[in-house]
């Protein structure tokens, strides 16, 4: 069984590049509308463009782009060298 965490992102390509650099790992899937990374625990981190989830769920879901600047998720990655991951995150914006 896999666990998935999907983040709605404004820019899929930019977000994919960020997580590729920070996780020092290539995505296991990278197609229009979804990027997935396998995390060390075996869970999957998904990146879906905001417009993609809006198109899938229609008007029943509040528009995710309207919540920009408001915390919408927390993601905890337990790693051996958190300082190195933090430094990569800062270097990659």
């Amino acid at each position: 069984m896999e666990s998935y965490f999907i983040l709605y992102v404004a820019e899929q390509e930019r977000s994919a590049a960020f997580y590729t650099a920070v996780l020092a790992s290539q995505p296991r899937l990278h197609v229009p509308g979804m990027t997935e990374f396998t995390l060390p625990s075996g869970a999957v981190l998904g990146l879906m463009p905001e417009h993609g989830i809006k198109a899938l769920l229609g008007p029943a879901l509040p528009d995710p782009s309207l919540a920009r600047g408001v915390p919408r998720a927390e993601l905890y990655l337990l790693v051996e060298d958190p300082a190195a991951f933090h430094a990569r995150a800062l270097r990659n914006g």
Side-chain angles (χ1 to χ4, degrees):
M1 177 188 338
E2 291 181 317
S3 297
Y4 280 76
F5 302 93
I6 298 176
L7 303 179
Y8 305 148
V9 298
E11 299 176 45
Q12 181 182 352
E13 291 302 320
R14 184 174 175 201
S15 297
F18 174 79
Y19 282 101
T20 296
V22 172
L23 298 173
S25 174
Q26 293 298 311
R28 73 181 205 169
L29 173 73
H30 185 60
V31 298
M34 181 60 78
T35 301
E36 294 180 355
F37 293 89
T38 302
L39 301 175
S41 66
V44 177
L45 171 63
L47 307 173
M48 177 182 278
E50 293 169 336
H51 63 83
I53 192 62
K54 187 176 175 185
L56 282 175
L57 299 181
L61 179 77
D63 186 340
S65 67
L66 298 177
R68 218 168 265 133
V70 176
R72 299 186 293 172
E74 292 183 28
L75 178 63
Y76 292 83
L77 301 172
L78 304 178
V79 296
E80 293 288 324
D81 187 359
F85 278 77
H86 183 245
R88 280 198 301 272
L90 293 176
R91 280 195 308 273
N92 287 280

